Amino acid sequence: MSRLIVISNRVSRPTKAGNQGGLAVALAQALRESRGIWVGWSGETTDSFTGHIGFAEDDGVKTATIDLEEQDVDEYYNGYANKTLWPLFHFRIDLAEYARDFEGGYNRVNRRFADTATPLIEPEDIIWVHDYHMIPLGQMLRDKGLKNRMGFFLHIPWPPTRLLVSLPHHTKLVSSLFAYDVVGFHTEEWLESFRHYVEKEMGGRVDGDFVTVGDRTIQAVACPIGINAQQFVEAADSETAQKMYHLVRASLQDRALIVGVDRLDYSKGLEERFGGFARFLRDHPEHHRNVVLTQIAPPSRGEVESYQQIRATLDSLAGRINGEYSDVDWTPIRYVNQGYPRDELAGIYRAARIGLVTPLRDGMNLVAKEYVAAQDPEDPGVLILSRFAGAAIQLKDALLINPYSPEEMSDAITRALAMPLDERLRRWRSMMDSVESQDISWWRQCFTGRLMAVDRNKTPPEPAPAQG
């Protein structure tokens, strides 16, 4: 079996506590099976980049990490990745910042990753690069003479062509994807947006899964990521989850719980979610004192100004709504700025009558799938899900809403609270079948199966010349 070399912005080392995210668990399993290596940034900074590689092995997974300079972090990570690509790819062109320093830092750090990874890679290794931080890395590895089978997976949406063309040197960035053999997206929508760009802006052609520009043909596929469904079911039944379940239920005093779990990010629609819940409270005074919204939102990217603004806005909104509707023994919104381990989250999910997952735009959204997997099979809750999350394609039996509409959100909450058991069971069973059949292992095998089938003896030609 060929070794798998995973390259991503950050490396998640396995822990005995088992509280890693689903992606980390899936990749760790593949790395163990193939004796592979996970290459990425350590999360630490250094005064001067030396190229030193920190090697470690945790629970059978080998990792190789580098430290970056403060300037690297500012320009590559906080800058181009999270101030330019992230907002643009989430359709927030109004928040995207375009700066030459950002793009320069992004390319510099990708070259540093290429320099770091190349000596570790053997001719038969399979290389799997992850996410928007690393788009040009494949071309940089090809420039160093690597002819390995190489794949790239994008974990966020791919924007429409009319938005992507606002990015300086957009064609150069997209052209670099043609250095890979297989490029993956979560949904057909994101894949179709990629194909449209290639056809309209690069003069490429599409033939099924194959996309050609010049003399270079790659496979571009939709392969939705899942969760480790069985592991999450077991987590929901664990002693830790049961303790959290009873703690939450006792604090509610028989009130219905609505739960949201999201990283503090403008793409998650938290401001709109609070507004929709406020509309529900305004329209349905009969439900006052009978329902509580708990929003768990751990802070992220605190160095980026737009994220500081989000936190301030949500603090203000939660205070205003609670001030208007609270009573001495009831607070309608519990707003929590911290994260919880997976098994505790599973207990919180199970305690909730409604899972409120309403991103404005999301590549997939695994919280929706986690909520489904954590439910009591005999008395499941109801998932309210944004139409603009990738997960909506698979979880069609959720109550699908437009997150921008407070009226739709209010109506969905009302419907979910009143939904009879037989309908809840039918909807949950359908969604759970999807969560179980297309789980994290299915996703990994879906992508790596394509990559392993690539003809390793065929020398990849040079990508098409960059334009724009």
Side-chain angles (χ1 to χ4, degrees):
M1 180 178 180
S2 301
R3 283 198 318 171
L4 179 65
I5 308 297
V6 171
I7 308 177
S8 63
N9 173 56
R10 290 294 297 273
V11 170
S12 180
R13 292 176 176 169
T15 63
K16 296 296 183 182
N19 285 318
Q20 288 181 297
L23 174 63
V25 171
L27 294 179
Q29 180 181 343
L31 288 164
R32 288 188 197 97
E33 292 172 358
S34 71
R35 303 170 293 103
I37 305 173
W38 193 340
V39 182
W41 175 34
S42 65
E44 302 296 328
T45 58
T46 181
D47 291 337
S48 178
F49 181 77
T50 64
H52 172 74
I53 304 173
F55 292 99
E57 183 168 345
D58 298 274
D59 198 21
V61 176
K62 296 178 181 177
T63 58
T65 57
I66 57 173
D67 299 340
L68 297 177
E69 296 175 9
E70 287 283 0
Q71 183 180 359
D72 292 335
V73 178
D74 288 342
E75 295 174 352
Y76 148 78
Y77 182 71
N78 291 330
Y80 199 76
N82 290 318
K83 290 181 180 177
T84 304
L85 294 183
W86 178 271
L88 175 60
F89 279 49
H90 285 86
F91 300 31
R92 291 300 304 271
I93 191 173
D94 58 310
L95 295 177
E97 299 180 28
Y98 305 116
R100 290 178 182 174
D101 289 348
F102 291 173
E103 185 178 3
Y106 181 75
N107 289 320
R108 180 179 66 250
V109 171
N110 270 269
R111 283 193 295 271
R112 287 179 169 176
F113 275 110
D115 292 342
T116 299
T118 298
L120 307 178
I121 297 171
E122 299 171 0
E124 296 299 307
D125 290 344
I126 291 175
I127 302 167
W128 193 1
V129 179
H130 286 267
D131 226 359
Y132 61 105
H133 312 83
M134 302 284 174
I135 291 173
L137 180 61
Q139 179 56 48
M140 294 175 180
L141 292 171
R142 296 291 187 212
D143 290 343
K144 289 182 169 294
L146 270 65
K147 296 178 172 59
N148 303 61
R149 289 168 288 185
M150 193 180 307
F152 174 85
F153 195 89
L154 184 69
H155 292 270
I156 63 176
W158 185 272
T161 299
R162 65 184 182 276
L163 298 185
L164 186 53
V165 296
S166 69
L167 180 71
H169 309 128
H170 51 87
T171 306
K172 180 180 180 181
L173 185 70
V174 180
S175 293
S176 67
L177 285 173
F178 282 78
Y180 298 100
D181 297 295
V182 183
V183 175
F185 305 86
H186 284 309
T187 71
E188 288 289 342
E189 181 181 353
W190 315 142
L191 173 58
E192 186 54 41
S193 293
F194 170 74
R195 290 170 173 164
H196 182 271
Y197 177 91
V198 171
E199 289 180 319
K200 301 303 181 185
E201 295 295 321
M202 301 175 70
R205 67 181 187 274
V206 176
D207 182 12
D209 291 339
F210 295 92
V211 181
T212 301
V213 172
D215 60 358
R216 179 65 175 142
T217 297
I218 64 172
Q219 291 185 61
V221 298
C223 187
I225 195 171
I227 63 170
N228 188 326
Q230 184 56 41
Q231 194 174 77
F232 215 87
V233 169
E234 292 171 359
D237 290 329
S238 69
E239 182 179 351
T240 300
Q242 290 300 310
K243 285 182 179 178
M244 178 60 78
Y245 170 88
H246 290 297
L247 177 66
V248 170
R249 291 307 314 165
S251 74
L252 291 167
Q253 299 177 336
D254 293 328
R255 297 182 175 101
L257 174 63
I258 304 171
V259 69
V261 179
D262 307 83
R263 190 168 48 79
L264 196 59
D265 188 281
Y266 47 77
S267 69
K268 302 303 182 182
L270 299 182
E271 183 176 347
E272 290 78 5
R273 188 177 307 171
F274 282 11
F277 184 63
R279 180 59 181 259
F280 165 78
L281 294 174
R282 193 193 83 179
D283 291 349
H284 297 280
E286 71 276 13
H287 283 298
H288 289 191
R289 303 177 57 84
N290 294 328
V291 64
V292 171
L293 168 62
T294 294
Q295 177 60 56
I296 298 170
S300 68
R301 301 170 186 162
E303 302 86 354
V304 179
E305 183 179 355
S306 57
Y307 288 82
Q308 298 168 1
Q309 294 172 352
I310 296 164
R311 184 164 188 176
T313 298
L314 291 175
D315 286 347
S316 176
L317 261 179
R320 181 179 62 78
I321 294 168
N322 281 336
E324 183 173 354
Y325 293 103
S326 292
D327 208 335
V328 290
D329 61 346
W330 172 63
T331 302
I333 296 180
R334 298 177 179 178
Y335 177 42
V336 183
N337 285 134
Q338 69 176 60
Y340 291 88
R342 185 182 58 217
D343 47 3
E344 291 185 3
L345 268 181
I348 297 171
Y349 288 142
R350 182 166 288 194
R353 170 56 67 90
I354 298 172
L356 198 53
V357 183
T358 57
L360 305 181
R361 191 70 56 177
D362 225 337
M364 174 51 61
N365 194 294
L366 296 181
V367 167
K369 297 185 177 185
E370 291 175 351
Y371 177 79
V372 170
Q375 294 309 295
D376 180 348
E378 296 184 0
D379 186 21
V382 179
L383 175 64
I384 298 175
L385 179 60
S386 165
R387 296 181 182 277
F388 307 131
I393 303 299
Q394 295 170 290
L395 304 181
K396 299 181 187 300
D397 279 286
L399 297 184
L400 300 179
I401 66 164
N402 172 6
Y404 293 94
S405 169
E407 291 88 353
E408 276 197 33
M409 198 174 304
S410 173
D411 291 348
I413 292 171
T414 306
R415 182 180 175 187
L417 290 172
M419 188 176 292
L421 178 60
D422 59 345
E423 183 179 355
R424 286 190 279 125
L425 286 168
R426 176 182 59 78
R427 289 176 176 274
W428 173 79
R429 184 65 265 171
S430 172
M431 292 188 290
M432 190 61 178
D433 287 345
S434 172
V435 169
E436 289 179 319
S437 63
Q438 296 187 331
D439 64 359
I440 190 74
S441 296
W442 174 89
W443 168 77
R444 174 171 59 84
Q445 292 162 8
C446 171
F447 189 88
T448 57
R450 294 262 189 166
L451 196 50
M452 290 177 182
V454 170
D455 184 356
R456 72 184 73 184
N457 297 312
K458 182 179 179 182
T459 301
E462 293 299 316
Q467 308 164 5

